[in-house]
Amino acid sequence: MSKSPARIRLADAAFALFDERGYEQTTVDDIAERAGVGRTTFFRNYRSKEAVIFPDHDRLLDLIRDRLATSSHSTALVAVSDAVRLVLLHYIDEGDLARRRYGLTSKVPALRDREIASVARYQRLFREFIAEWMGDPTASASLRAELMAAAVVAAHNHVLRRWLRGESRDPVAEVDEAMREVLALFPVRSPGDGSAEAGTTIVAFRSARDLDALLPELRRLVEP
Amino acid sequence: MSKSPARIRLADAAFALFDERGYEQTTVDDIAERAGVGRTTFFRNYRSKEAVIFPDHDRLLDLIRDRLATSSHSTALVAVSDAVRLVLLHYIDEGDLARRRYGLTSKVPALRDREIASVARYQRLFREFIAEWMGDPTASASLRAELMAAAVVAAHNHVLRRWLRGESRDPVAEVDEAMREVLALFPVRSPGDGSAEAGTTIVAFRSARDLDALLPELRRLVEP
DNA sequence: CCCTCGAACGGTACTCAGTACCATGGTCGT
DNA sequence: ACGACCATGGTACTGAGTACCGTTCGAGGG
C-alpha cells in the first residue's frame, strides 16, 4: 500500500483531517503522520500548511499570463474576460476537490483571506494588462482599467461561487453570459470620440424604455 | 519619561524598527524592548504583529455598517458610494501614518495580503447591502450587486492609491468624480424594461464612429 | 491609616509553523 | 561495483501566538 506519491497522500490526509477535526485543530505533524511520511516531506511538497489546499495558483497565474501575452483580441476587456474563463475551467476541472476547499474557506478565516489574496493577484494582473493595452497613463484611463479588472473578477467570482454551491448546472454558459454583461458595462470608445470630427448618425432601434430613461446612457455613449 | 500609553509607544517603536530593519527582520521582542514594555503587553494591545500596522479596521467597518443602516438614499449604489467616502476620509485623516503603512504594504507580501483581506470585507459588506436592498434573489440581480460592489471598491482603491503615492492633491474631489463614473456604469433600470411592451424609438445623436462599430453595442443595449 | 479590589504589567513555559542542516537509503548510468 | 543524484527522515532552531501566574500600583471604603 501507500504506493501513490507522497504529495497526493499528503493532500488526502490533510483534507480528511480538516474535515474531521477542523483546520486549526490539525497540526502539520498530524497530516504527515497520517500520510505516513516525515514532517520534512510535507514542507518539501507544500510551502505551508495552507498551501496544501491551494495547490497550483502560481501555475495557473502563469498560464493566464501567457494567454494574455499571446492573445489577439479586439479589446483588452475581451482578452481578459477570455482569460478568466481559464480560471473557472480550472476550478471546474478540479470538481469535488474545489467544493471541499470551498467548504473550508467558508469556515476558516485564515483560508478565506488566502483565497482572497490569490484572487487579488489575478485582478492585479488583469488591471496591469488592460492599463498597458490602453497605453494611456491618464488617471481616468487608469480608473477605467481598474474598474474593468474588478468587474471581470467579480463576474467570475459570482459564477464560480454559484457553481461551488451547486446552484449552477452550466457554469461555462453562465460565465459567458456574465462576461457579456460586463462587456456591456464598458462600451467601446473609438479613438476619435469626444474630439473634433463628429459626424451625425441616425439609428433606429426598438426599446421598451422610454426616452428619458434612455437619454443619459446615450449621452454617455456619445459625449466624452 | 515614557509617559505616553504603551499602545502608542508600541506603534511608534514598530514603525521605526520596520523602517530601519524591515518587517521580517523585526521580532515582537525587539518592538517590546524598544517600547520599554514586556512582550506580553504587546500582545495585550495588538492581537498580532501585523495588527500593529492596521489598528482600527474593525471599528471603521462598524462605522460603515451603521452609515449604511441609517442611510436614506435613492439607490443602493448611491448609498454605498457615499459610505465608501468614509473609508477614504479615514485614511486621509491618518495622513502620514497611512503613507508609511502604504510603504510597508508595498514591500511586504504578508502585509499586502492582509490589507487586501480587509478591503474584501468592505466589498462583501457592500455586496450584501446592495443585494438586500434590491430584494431580488435572481442570479442576474446578484451578479449586478457583485459588480456594483466591486466597482465602488475599485474606484475607491484607485483614488486612495493615487493619494497615497502623492499623485493627488484633492482626493475627495477625485473620489466624487470616480463615483460619478461608477454611477454612470449602472444606469437605473425602470421596472418595465426588457419585458413585453416594446415600442419603437428613433434617436438621433452624434458620433465619430461608423455604424458598424456602433451596432453591436446598440444591439446589446436593446436586445437582452 | 490600613485594607481590599481590580486593572495593567512582566515573566515563564508551552504549542506550533516554518527553516536549516545533515545523515541515510535507494536508483540510475557507467 | 562505483559514484552521482535524488527523495526522505531526523534533529535542532527561530519566532509568533497563547495560557497562566505572581506582582505592582492606584482608587476607593472602612
Side-chain angles (χ1 to χ4, degrees), chain A residues 132-155:
Chain A
E132 197 170 342
W133 197 93
M134 298 195 308
D136 179 353
T138 308
S140 122
S142 167
L143 169 59
R144 202 172 155 83
E146 183 113 34
L147 288 173
M148 287 177 172
V152 169
V153 169

Side-chain angles (χ1 to χ4, degrees), chain A residues 109 112-113 116-117 120-121 123-124 127 138-140 142-144 146-147 150-152 154-159 161-162 174 177-178 180-190 192-211 213-215 217-218 220-223, chain B residues 109 112-113 116-117 120-121 123-124 127 138-140 142-144 146-147 150-152 154-159 161-162 174 177-178 181-190 192-211 213-215 217-218 220-224:
Chain A
R112 194 206 320 266
D113 289 355
I116 288 169
R121 278 190 262 279
Q123 185 166 335
R124 183 195 179 121
R127 170 166 54 87
T138 308
S140 122
S142 167
L143 169 59
R144 202 172 155 83
E146 183 113 34
L147 288 173
V152 169
H156 165 270
N157 284 347
H158 172 259
V159 175
R161 267 206 298 270
R162 274 178 55 78
E174 282 192 21
E177 169 60 26
R180 272 195 294 274
E181 194 91 16
V182 171
L183 265 283
L185 285 185
F186 300 94
V188 182
R189 301 177 181 176
S190 45
D193 264 19
S195 70
E197 7 73 282
T200 297
T201 313
I202 300 185
V203 183
F205 59 97
R206 306 153 57 86
S207 167
R209 312 185 209 179
D210 67 50
L211 190 55
L214 217 44
L215 261 183
E217 286 183 42
L218 291 169
R220 251 200 356 271
L221 213 58
V222 180
E223 274 177 358
Chain B
R112 193 205 321 264
D113 289 354
I116 288 169
R121 279 189 261 281
Q123 184 165 335
R124 180 192 182 127
R127 169 166 54 87
T138 307
S140 122
S142 167
L143 169 59
R144 204 173 153 82
E146 183 113 34
L147 288 172
V152 169
H156 165 269
N157 284 349
H158 173 259
V159 175
R161 266 206 298 270
R162 275 179 55 78
E174 281 192 21
E177 170 59 28
E181 195 91 15
V182 170
L183 265 284
L185 285 185
F186 299 94
V188 181
R189 298 183 181 171
S190 40
D193 263 19
S195 70
E197 10 64 293
T200 296
T201 314
I202 299 184
V203 184
F205 58 97
R206 304 152 58 86
S207 168
R209 311 184 212 178
D210 69 49
L211 190 55
L214 218 43
L215 261 182
E217 285 181 40
L218 292 170
R220 265 206 322 279
L221 214 59
V222 181
E223 271 179 3

Side-chain angles (χ1 to χ4, degrees), chain A residues 1-221:
Chain A
M1 57 174 164
S2 69
K3 276 292 201 179
S4 54
R7 194 178 166 78
I8 308 292
R9 266 178 304 149
L10 279 166
D12 289 345
F15 271 97
L17 286 169
F18 292 163
D19 282 346
E20 292 175 17
R21 317 181 192 173
Y23 178 78
E24 271 112 355
Q25 281 64 44
T26 304
T27 73
V28 172
D29 288 288
D30 295 336
I31 302 171
E33 190 187 354
R34 174 167 301 203
V37 301
R39 199 176 108 93
T40 312
T41 301
F42 177 92
F43 283 108
R44 253 192 282 267
N45 282 276
Y46 300 98
R47 274 205 290 264
S48 69
K49 182 182 170 186
E50 298 172 357
V52 73
I53 309 186
F54 307 102
D56 36 23
H57 263 305
D58 288 346
R59 206 164 47 83
L60 187 51
L61 198 63
D62 290 342
L63 196 67
I64 304 289
R65 212 189 310 272
D66 288 351
R67 179 80 155 221
L68 284 180
T70 67
S71 87
S72 61
H73 284 285
S74 49
T75 73
L77 192 51
V78 174
V80 168
S81 29
D82 171 72
V84 84
R85 290 178 91 240
L86 289 185
V87 182
L88 184 73
L89 291 174
H90 174 80
Y91 275 94
I92 294 175
D93 214 51
E94 287 186 322
D96 196 50
L97 185 67
R99 290 220 166 91
R100 294 171 78 183
R101 184 192 303 130
Y102 179 66
L104 285 171
T105 53
S106 301
K107 296 192 195 323
V108 184
L111 298 179
R112 194 206 320 266
D113 289 355
R114 164 119 189 187
E115 174 85 29
I116 288 169
S118 296
V119 173
R121 278 190 262 279
Y122 293 109
Q123 185 166 335
R124 183 195 179 121
L125 178 62
F126 293 158
R127 170 166 54 87
E128 288 171 350
F129 174 81
I130 297 173
E132 197 170 342
W133 197 93
M134 298 195 308
D136 179 353
T138 308
S140 122
S142 167
L143 169 59
R144 202 172 155 83
E146 183 113 34
L147 288 173
M148 287 177 172
V152 169
V153 169
H156 165 270
N157 284 347
H158 172 259
V159 175
L160 176 59
R161 267 206 298 270
R162 274 178 55 78
W163 178 74
L164 287 171
R165 285 199 280 254
E167 301 171 357
S168 165
R169 294 215 144 263
D170 191 350
V172 177
E174 282 192 21
V175 81
D176 288 340
E177 169 60 26
M179 287 308 152
R180 272 195 294 274
E181 194 91 16
V182 171
L183 265 283
L185 285 185
F186 300 94
V188 182
R189 301 177 181 176
S190 45
D193 264 19
S195 70
E197 7 73 282
T200 297
T201 313
I202 300 185
V203 183
F205 59 97
R206 306 153 57 86
S207 167
R209 312 185 209 179
D210 67 50
L211 190 55
D212 286 339
L214 217 44
L215 261 183
E217 286 183 42
L218 291 169
R219 197 168 288 130
R220 251 200 356 271
L221 213 58

